[in-house]
Amino acid sequence: MAKKRPAKKSAKSSKKRTTVRQSPISDDFVSMDALYLAYRKAKVDVFYERSQPMVLAFCEYERELNDNLRTLQKRLTKSGADWYRDIDFIGSYGFIPKGLQVPADEGDSEAAHFSVSSPDDAWDLLVYSLEDDDNELKAEFRPVALFSVDMYVVCALWVNLVGHMFDACLDQSARGSRLRRLRRQSEDEGALGAFHITAPGSFQPYFHRYKEWREKGLRAIRHELDEGRKVVAITMDLKAFYHNVDPRFILHADFLKAIRFTGMNGRSLTAEELRFSKQVVEAFFTWAKSLPHLGDDDPPGLPVGPSAPRIIANVLLAEFDRSAQQSLDPIYYSRYVDDIFLVLHDNGKFRTSSQVLKHLCRRIKHLDANESYSELKLSLPYAEECRLLFQAKKQRIFLLSGEVGADLLDTIESQIDAVSSEWRLLPDLDSLEKSPAAKVLTANRNSHESVDTLRKADQLSLKRLSFSIMLSHYDTLAHDLPPTEWRKERKRFYRFVERHVLTPLRLMDLNDYLPRMLALAVSCKDWKIAERLTVRISRSLTLLDDAITIEPDTETEQQWEGYVRHLCTALREAVIRAFPLKGVGNSAEASATRLLERIDAMNGCSSGEMPEIGTLSKELFWTDLGRIPFKHALLHYIPLPDCSLHPWSGSLPDGEMERFHVIREFLESVENEGVKIRPLLFPTRPFTPREITEFDSRCAWDLHRLRRYVEALRGTWVKKPENASLTENGNSPP
């Protein structure tokens, strides 16, 4: 398919636009220290975001980091700044698949069950049946941001300077996309503690917060059932949440009053903070106008991927959180971004889903429903341009009581635990393909099939978790064992992937994990298999392209092309990041080049000039953007490869120079210490306290020394030791 540049749409002329004042922002507000902190945050945030294949861009930016950040400071603070209207400054977009919409089978309900074991035969049968029944196979896509590095830094800068105050207005019931915070030292710091501005990354880890959101709800249900009380368990989420938000609400005076901004932060926004926030919102509008599918009546939406939109989307529902907890008096209420988990006492009057939803609408402020109660709408007065709909197909309501309710809860938990418990197990080479994770992937071929759990969509989540767990096991083996020691087991895994993952019916559901899968083959030097997997991906894309209804020169075609382009970018980066650092020759470079050419061919474009993959892979390693963390070389897990860093010009600001001197002291026992400081200044996977003591054994008894190193290397604050017997000079105690 020919590569086209998506046509830009003009914004609806009748919509009220944000007017940005032209008063310049000061150098004191956007200082170099603030920009360096923002860069450190942005680098980690983007590195861990699967939808953002941007490591090559960050690597290039870091070659001239000081010059780039000074140029950014000048652009943000100059009189008449217009960066928020410049799409070249802001960046582009890609598309990720939401899913493949397979028409439901409306055949004879009395007919015998018919199943096809071969994924290829199942696909052929599906395509044949669609042609016979005159149905269509549709794919849904969601836009994601592919910003410039400058814009990612701007987003992190806004979070550091302004956004953390909005996050402070959320209570503990909001569990997703929460910022890292320090433990409270006094009552003056509020309920949450101060924003941890020097920590690596902006947000708390996803897995633990999501697990907490789910498990505390299930635990609350079980407790009530054990006490002999009936409960109503409700889960629901908002339709295309990010893409239906108008970010202008965050500047609305009524919104700031509703979330008690001044009371929670002890002050209101300054003129400079408000001006910078307006510019960021305007930049999101500029980005939204470039999307090919945005209609005149559609909200502009928020970019998926960067840090600032996550704060803005999360705080939009702060008043909903408070209203639901105060008016419903629930047994349990929690929200993970837009996923609501609610447990109520059964008052004996709930007999249908409509009665439950009517109860919610009567009690929760600003929540309304249509006549059939198939759709709930949240109409916030300060967010009139937002489209906040709780979709019926994602609403799950359970009336649970007695032992039967406890049995259903057991079924729900067992399906989750059978997969997630594998996080705690060491990989067994002989049983990985027969593990619960593998069974989840093989038991259910069609993406629209599901089981009766809390939110049936969790079956797809289980599939993704299952494949992620399998990949994690094999990544662990790749790290711990030489490739020659487990070649047969790897080949079995590759065959498993070809049978059950790289099929047209599964490819889009497991799209996020394809780069990791290819990276595993490259890191183990399985070049022929890597090519075979790439061919299989290309074949599945071709089959999907032929079967999905795509009209030429339409928004659907532009979204499909944006998806393929985004996937190819991620696959290219996976190959370069995973390219072996040692023990490779010209043949490996040639194999990797052929692999990149095959990936480029998927996107319908010629490869052009190929990079020196080995050199670029080493540079990614030395900027801690490679597949292997830089610290592994210092801990002697791997040999230290040749240095491939460009010399820096300019000097670091005072805040970074303090860290520089401490890190230099930490590396005093290593030769060429000046070269090795850079990757530790801006790490994506910094040393843990345990690894610091492993590297420098003196930290095991000198806690003052350990504290200094932890603060410099991780940005984490450690409470100062008060025991006077601890040594100050690093000498071992007697």
Side-chain angles (χ1 to χ4, degrees), residues 59-72:
C59 181
E60 181 179 356
Y61 194 89
E62 201 163 303
R63 290 173 188 165
E64 305 290 343
L65 182 61
N66 192 66
D67 292 344
N68 286 328
L69 291 181
R70 287 200 177 278
T71 300
L72 176 59

Side-chain angles (χ1 to χ4, degrees), residues 55-56 514-523 527 530-531 534 568-580 588-589 591-597 599 613-614 616-617 620 627:
V55 296
L56 295 178
L514 301 181
R516 280 180 61 188
M517 174 208 67
L518 187 60
L520 174 67
V522 171
S523 67
W527 298 111
E531 281 199 56
T534 306
C568 291
T569 301
L571 293 174
R572 280 181 62 90
E573 286 203 350
V575 171
I576 297 171
R577 289 182 63 219
F579 189 81
E589 187 101 16
S591 297
T593 300
R594 286 195 302 270
L595 199 55
L596 294 184
E597 289 172 347
I599 292 171
I613 301 173
L616 187 52
S617 176
L620 289 175
R627 188 171 186 269

Side-chain angles (χ1 to χ4, degrees), residues 448-655:
H448 65 283
E449 294 177 2
S450 55
V451 296
D452 193 16
T453 65
L454 283 177
R455 276 197 58 205
K456 292 185 180 180
D458 280 348
Q459 183 67 7
L460 177 57
S461 299
L462 284 175
K463 289 177 184 176
R464 289 171 177 162
L465 176 60
S466 301
F467 191 45
S468 176
I469 289 171
M470 292 185 72
L471 278 173
S472 296
H473 285 336
Y474 282 98
D475 283 340
T476 301
L477 293 168
H479 173 260
D480 293 339
L481 296 177
T484 55
E485 295 293 325
W486 60 295
R487 184 177 288 115
K488 291 181 180 179
E489 291 79 13
R490 250 186 357 266
K491 288 183 177 179
R492 286 207 305 266
F493 171 68
Y494 296 140
R495 289 196 295 270
F496 176 89
V497 166
E498 288 181 284
R499 291 195 306 269
H500 300 292
V501 176
L502 302 184
T503 70
L505 281 173
R506 285 281 172 79
L507 193 76
M508 299 181 78
D509 287 341
L510 300 174
N511 176 80
D512 288 348
Y513 303 99
L514 301 181
R516 280 180 61 188
M517 174 208 67
L518 187 60
L520 174 67
V522 171
S523 67
C524 294
K525 307 175 189 176
D526 297 327
W527 298 111
K528 291 183 179 179
I529 290 175
E531 281 199 56
R532 200 172 74 208
L533 296 176
T534 306
V535 169
R536 186 81 184 187
I537 294 172
S538 179
R539 176 179 177 273
S540 295
L541 288 174
T542 300
L543 291 173
L544 283 167
D545 191 9
D546 292 340
I548 295 171
T549 304
I550 300 177
E551 297 295 332
D553 300 321
T554 62
E555 294 166 2
T556 307
E557 184 181 47
Q558 292 170 354
Q559 291 177 23
W560 172 261
E561 292 177 350
Y563 158 57
V564 175
R565 186 167 59 248
H566 187 269
L567 175 59
C568 291
T569 301
L571 293 174
R572 280 181 62 90
E573 286 203 350
V575 171
I576 297 171
R577 289 182 63 219
F579 189 81
L581 298 171
K582 289 278 189 177
V584 294
N586 294 334
S587 61
E589 187 101 16
S591 297
T593 300
R594 286 195 302 270
L595 199 55
L596 294 184
E597 289 172 347
R598 285 191 177 276
I599 292 171
D600 289 339
M602 291 186 206
N603 196 22
C605 61
S606 60
S607 300
E609 185 178 352
M610 281 289 171
E612 294 184 4
I613 301 173
T615 302
L616 187 52
S617 176
K618 289 178 181 177
E619 186 178 4
L620 289 175
F621 172 80
W622 278 90
T623 50
D624 204 19
L625 291 166
R627 188 171 186 269
I628 300 174
F630 173 78
K631 64 183 179 180
H632 281 191
L634 298 184
L635 293 168
H636 305 295
Y637 298 161
I638 63 168
L640 186 66
D642 299 334
C643 180
S644 299
L645 290 177
H646 295 259
W648 265 353
S649 61
S651 59
L652 295 170
D654 293 342

Side-chain angles (χ1 to χ4, degrees), residues 158 162-171 174 176-178 241-242 245-247 249-251 255-256 258-261 264-265 302 308-322 335 337-338 378 380 382-383 388:
W158 182 84
V162 185
H164 69 92
M165 292 186 283
F166 285 97
D167 178 80
C169 297
L170 292 162
D171 61 26
S177 296
R178 298 307 303 271
F241 179 43
Y242 270 66
V245 172
D246 185 326
F249 77 87
I250 204 165
L251 306 172
F255 166 71
L256 296 174
I259 64 171
R260 306 170 188 175
F261 184 93
M264 297 301 295
N265 293 284
L302 284 167
R310 295 172 65 177
I311 301 295
I312 294 173
N314 212 18
V315 77
L316 172 60
L317 301 178
E319 188 182 8
F320 177 83
D321 295 338
R322 190 178 299 118
R335 174 173 62 83
V337 187
D338 66 323
L378 184 60
L380 300 170
Y382 43 76
L388 306 177

